[in-house]
Amino acid sequence: MNSTKQIILLNEISKLKSKEEQWEPFTWYKEMRENSHVFYDADQDVWNVFLYDHVKSVLFDHKLFSNKKERSFIPVPRNEDNRSNVNHCDPPEHRNRRALIAHAFTPRSLEEWRPKIQAIVDELITEMASQTKVDIVEKLAIPLPVTVIAELLGVPSKDRKLIKAWSDTLFYPYDKETFNDITKQKAQASREFFEYLYPIVQEKRKHPLNDIISDLTKAELDGERLTDAEVVMSSIGLLGAGNETTTTLLSLMFYCMLYDQPGIYQELRADLSLVPKLVEEVLRFRFPVCMDRQIAQDTTIFGHEMKKGQAVLAWIGAANRDESQFVLAEEFDIHRQGNQKHLTFGAGPHFCLGAPLARMEANIALTTFVQRFADITPVDEFKVTEHLIASPGGGQSLKSLPIRLQN
Ligand code: HEM
């Protein structure tokens, strides 16, 4: 199968063409939930589900909806030889692969990282302190996740710009018009990233330290050590998984405070215990996220006949606004009951390993920020469509967000 056929193009399914529509896909989500909640796209041979319960079933039922897939919308070049790839596999195989890295993300391990994350946040916020207008994406949302994940892995965080550039290219979504160019750029980024990490892995195998790459060099899968190349591929996976996603969360927190619920900032200042609630509501409300699986056997499900080998897309962003789960789902409300039921971190066996880390980064960053600045306000001339970039999860993300700061 050639690479064009391996890629599912999300925007060809949603038919949301303009940046405006892709930034606010919520009307389309609603329409699909109400009128076409199990939708078959014949052009790409892909089933699409939009309701909360259906999305959750797809993510949980690995026997029917497999993560071993020939096609995916996830725009990272495929590497089938990597035995340690935690995502493209199913239980029971998945259990041992996940165990290789899971212990680095337990609450206890993460607590050890709290002071380090706080120090990175403090440094970034101090750099902003003398200014009255900043691009919060550039100053906080981009550097925080890449610095944290680089340090966790044991990669020099001084190289964060390089790492960020490679992982952005690897995760940049494909589209029909620029398919060949993007494929070439990804191949080059993949090569450069590999060549950068390889000697680091070799060095850590000889002289292990207290970091994830060192742990991976010692880890065994089915009685055999991972090869250097496998450790490199796993590290690239983690550097990618933890980067753009957390940047999106941090950027959206500021967007929601400024544009979805102006005034909420003062509520947070009066009661810092609301910070985690805001973080959860941002995850539910605005995250452009989707997941895909492959049908493992012919079946009739959700009232439709599906065939072995067909792809299924679970539109998590649409499930997160399903009224059957969230009362007044189209409203941004940090006080809603049960907003943590959102599916932004997935569900079932592949539930995001980095969720506690992403939450910790967001909570530390926002708490520290709110304590430091008296208020934030929008810049007058701001027009969101001029600040967007295609998001790997479909739709658009913020590439910049200028805000005014009051000390
Ligand atoms: C707001 C930030 C994040 C979001 C929205 C997010 C979202 C997700 C989602 C939806 C999945 C499920 C994939 C599937 O079902 O196939 C996932 C898996 C995963 N995430 Fe995250 N993620 C975030 C941050 C992170 C961070 C910081 C890391 C750590 C480096 C990370 C590492 C992983 C890994 C390793 C998996 C694969 C788990 C498995 O397949 O068993 N993520 N993430």
Side-chain angles (χ1 to χ4, degrees):
M1 194 178 284
N2 71 35
S3 58
T4 325
K5 293 227 173 89
Q6 286 184 327
I7 300 297
I8 298 169
L9 299 167
L10 289 185
N11 291 339
E12 300 299 315
I13 292 175
S14 71
K15 312 266 188 292
L16 299 172
K17 292 289 179 223
S18 69
K19 283 194 170 182
E20 283 89 346
E21 288 174 321
Q22 288 178 10
W23 173 243
E24 297 278 353
F26 308 107
T27 313
W28 180 69
Y29 288 166
K30 188 168 192 297
E31 202 181 296
M32 298 310 279
R33 278 194 312 268
E34 288 176 358
N35 303 322
S36 218
H37 58 253
V38 182
F39 164 71
Y40 176 64
D41 180 88
D43 288 346
Q44 296 191 70
D45 194 20
V46 177
W47 289 96
N48 295 270
V49 297
F50 297 86
L51 298 182
Y52 186 93
D53 287 342
H54 291 176
V55 167
K56 212 169 161 182
S57 302
V58 168
L59 297 174
F60 263 98
D61 188 348
H62 61 87
K63 291 206 170 116
L64 205 47
F65 301 105
S66 168
N67 221 357
K68 276 189 188 162
K69 46 204 174 192
E70 274 130 51
R71 293 191 292 153
S72 179
F73 80 89
I74 297 176
V76 186
R78 307 294 299 270
N79 182 310
E80 302 307 342
D81 302 333
N82 179 12
R83 285 181 308 147
S84 62
N85 181 326
V86 62
N87 196 243
H88 287 188
C89 58
D90 296 320
E93 188 184 23
H94 170 252
R95 209 162 296 133
N96 290 344
R97 294 188 183 192
R98 190 165 161 116
L100 287 176
I101 40 176
H103 70 96
F105 295 95
T106 60
R108 207 165 129 222
S109 310
L110 284 178
E111 273 315 311
E112 288 175 20
W113 282 92
R114 184 180 284 280
K116 187 79 209 169
I117 296 176
Q118 182 69 59
I120 299 168
V121 167
D122 287 345
E123 198 179 312
L124 294 170
I125 287 186
T126 306
E127 278 171 27
M128 279 184 251
S130 58
Q131 300 176 39
T132 52
K133 185 179 157 192
V134 293
D135 173 3
I136 200 70
V137 176
E138 182 202 337
K139 296 290 184 199
L140 182 69
I142 288 177
L144 176 58
V146 66
T147 310
V148 169
I149 191 70
E151 299 226 357
L152 254 143
L153 278 154
V155 176
S157 59
K158 68 170 174 44
D159 295 333
R160 69 187 190 201
K161 291 214 163 109
L162 273 174
I163 295 167
K164 171 76 185 149
W166 287 320
S167 65
D168 278 356
T169 307
L170 287 182
F171 279 79
Y172 193 79
Y174 287 97
D175 67 46
K176 222 174 171 176
E177 286 73 35
T178 51
F179 195 92
N180 290 336
D181 282 350
I182 294 176
T183 306
K184 269 188 218 142
Q185 286 168 24
K186 282 179 192 286
Q188 185 175 341
S190 198
R191 220 171 19 249
E192 288 175 8
F193 209 172
F194 193 96
E195 281 164 12
Y196 168 83
L197 280 171
Y198 201 79
I200 296 178
V201 169
Q202 286 182 313
E203 174 60 25
K204 284 185 193 288
R205 197 180 289 280
K206 278 190 236 139
H207 307 290
L209 295 167
N210 182 22
D211 55 52
I212 297 179
I213 294 188
S214 299
D215 288 354
L216 284 170
T217 61
K218 289 181 263 174
E220 287 190 2
L221 199 61
D222 309 326
E224 261 180 61
R225 290 258 165 117
L226 299 179
T227 64
D228 289 342
E230 283 170 336
V231 175
V232 170
M233 292 313 294
S234 296
S235 310
I236 291 179
L238 282 172
L239 278 163
N243 241 332
E244 195 272 346
T245 46
T246 315
T247 294
T248 301
L249 171 59
L250 298 171
S251 318
L252 289 179
M253 285 183 336
F254 284 88
Y255 183 89
C256 289
M257 289 192 291
L258 288 171
Y259 297 99
D260 289 321
Q261 201 178 355
I264 192 79
Y265 193 83
Q266 293 310 326
E267 250 191 81
L268 298 185
R269 267 181 75 82
D271 180 0
L272 286 173
S273 73
L274 296 176
V275 165
K277 293 187 178 209
L278 182 126
V279 171
E280 290 310 311
E281 183 64 348
V282 171
L283 282 160
R284 181 194 75 85
F285 190 71
R286 271 212 173 269
F287 229 87
V289 59
C290 222
M291 275 302 138
D292 50 20
R293 297 289 190 263
Q294 181 166 308
I295 311 271
Q297 61 205 50
D298 290 358
T299 185
T300 300
I301 189 163
F302 313 139
H304 293 262
E305 267 181 43
M306 300 187 184
K307 295 262 174 248
K308 182 176 175 180
Q310 288 181 319
V312 182
L313 276 175
W315 291 81
I316 292 174
N320 284 341
R321 291 204 181 196
D322 187 332
E323 295 276 344
S324 74
Q325 301 295 321
F326 305 102
V327 178
L328 299 176
E330 307 286 350
E331 284 178 18
F332 183 81
D333 175 8
I334 69 167
H335 300 290
R336 77 171 57 252
Q337 293 294 312
N339 56 5
Q340 319 83 313
K341 276 191 309 186
H342 65 74
L343 299 173
T344 305
F345 289 120
H350 292 282
F351 180 81
C352 176
L353 256 178
L357 174 63
R359 286 184 163 122
M360 186 185 265
E361 288 180 45
N363 282 304
I364 294 178
L366 189 54
T367 305
T368 312
F369 187 96
V370 167
Q371 284 171 315
R372 179 64 188 75
F373 296 103
D375 204 1
I376 53 168
T377 44
V379 296
D380 292 340
E381 67 280 13
F382 182 76
K383 204 168 159 229
V384 72
T385 45
E386 288 165 9
H387 298 265
L388 298 177
I389 185 163
S391 157
Q396 296 283 325
S397 303
L398 288 160
K399 67 172 179 216
S400 50
L401 177 61
I403 66 173
R404 289 199 182 283
L405 301 174
Q406 278 171 35
N407 276 285

